[in-house]
Amino acid sequence: MAEKVFKLIEGGTSEVIVKKSRFLGITFPIETAEEAAERIAGIRKKYYDARHNCYAWRLVGAEKFSDDGEPSQTAGKPMLDVLTGEGLTGALVVVTRYFGGTLLGTGGLVRAYTEAAKEAVKNSKVTEIRPRRTVTCTVQYTDLGRVQYLFREAGLEPATDYQEQIILTAEVPEEQVAKLTKDITEATAGKADLQIGDMYIG
């Protein structure tokens, strides 16, 4: 079974106060690294008087974080760990810190940034996305009914192209691919031509 992956679809906010330091967390859905950079620039402009605007973001196959002047590994990395721990992709979290006059130490900073990021994520809306593959199945008209039944049984509605043979195409969750293709092969006595695409998240 593939690990669960979640996509951020609506941002949330948080506020954590530790020894008079204010940590303001905010999340944004993002599609690209460029979009993340624009959002971060917008926060820096909005909170221009804050001492730190730390961030972390994750996309499929890419991630980045910044401590923005805080001691190394005390802000951005713990925030990235929150996104990773929640299985989130397409997500940016920024935590703005207004210094309260008391040093918190590395452990205190890690806890504060982690809490602000967790709260912001908790107040966001997410949806599960699953690893999938495009399965294309070419069959004779005589096998069509059996194959359509197998797709329906798997909860799938394939696009159907009626030519000399019929071509059925569906986006199939990764965990269903092996069983579906095995069932189709058996139902058609190996006559179905099955093409299985690369895995993607969607």
Side-chain angles (χ1 to χ4, degrees):
M1 184 70 76
E3 274 184 46
K4 287 192 175 182
V5 180
F6 296 89
K7 183 178 174 63
L8 191 76
I9 54 173
E10 191 177 303
T13 60
S14 66
E15 181 174 358
V16 173
I17 297 174
V18 182
K19 294 182 181 174
K20 296 185 180 174
S21 276
R22 289 175 71 216
F23 295 84
L24 306 175
I26 188 165
T27 58
F28 298 98
I30 55 166
E31 298 291 338
T32 62
E34 291 73 24
E35 188 180 355
E38 285 172 19
R39 292 291 196 182
I40 293 159
I43 290 292
R44 284 187 170 141
K45 191 173 178 184
K46 181 177 178 182
Y47 298 116
Y48 66 91
D49 56 340
R51 183 169 284 198
H52 307 282
N53 289 288
C54 308
Y55 67 82
W57 56 258
R58 287 187 86 218
L59 294 165
V60 175
E63 59 187 32
K64 189 176 180 183
F65 65 86
S66 168
D67 296 310
D68 193 34
E70 292 282 28
S72 178
Q73 306 283 306
T74 62
K77 181 64 166 61
M79 290 156 60
L80 181 63
D81 289 344
V82 169
L83 298 182
T84 306
E86 296 290 336
L88 270 173
T89 187
L92 162 68
V93 58
V94 184
V95 176
T96 299
R97 180 189 181 191
Y98 282 93
F99 185 54
T102 303
L103 294 173
L104 303 182
T106 54
L109 289 171
V110 169
R111 282 191 295 275
Y113 279 103
T114 299
E115 187 183 346
K118 271 188 176 172
E119 280 297 310
V121 167
K122 190 170 133 190
N123 294 327
S124 307
K125 283 188 182 170
V126 302
T127 186
E128 185 179 352
I129 55 176
R130 299 160 84 183
R132 296 174 184 271
R133 293 181 191 265
T134 300
V135 174
T136 304
C137 174
T138 305
V139 295
Q140 308 288 341
Y141 278 80
T142 49
D143 291 322
L144 178 60
R146 285 191 290 275
V147 172
Q148 282 179 323
Y149 169 77
L150 290 171
F151 273 104
R152 277 198 301 273
E153 197 179 43
L156 301 163
E157 284 295 330
T160 307
D161 184 9
Y162 295 90
Q163 298 184 17
E164 266 185 51
Q165 295 180 303
I166 303 103
I167 303 167
L168 300 100
T169 306
E171 310 305 311
V172 183
E174 170 69 8
E175 68 268 20
Q176 291 179 249
V177 171
K179 182 178 188 307
L180 178 66
T181 53
K182 177 174 173 285
D183 289 349
I184 289 172
T185 301
E186 288 176 357
T188 62
K191 290 184 300 206
D193 177 22
L194 286 160
Q195 303 290 326
I196 301 166
D198 292 335
M199 190 170 75
Y200 67 95
I201 303 287

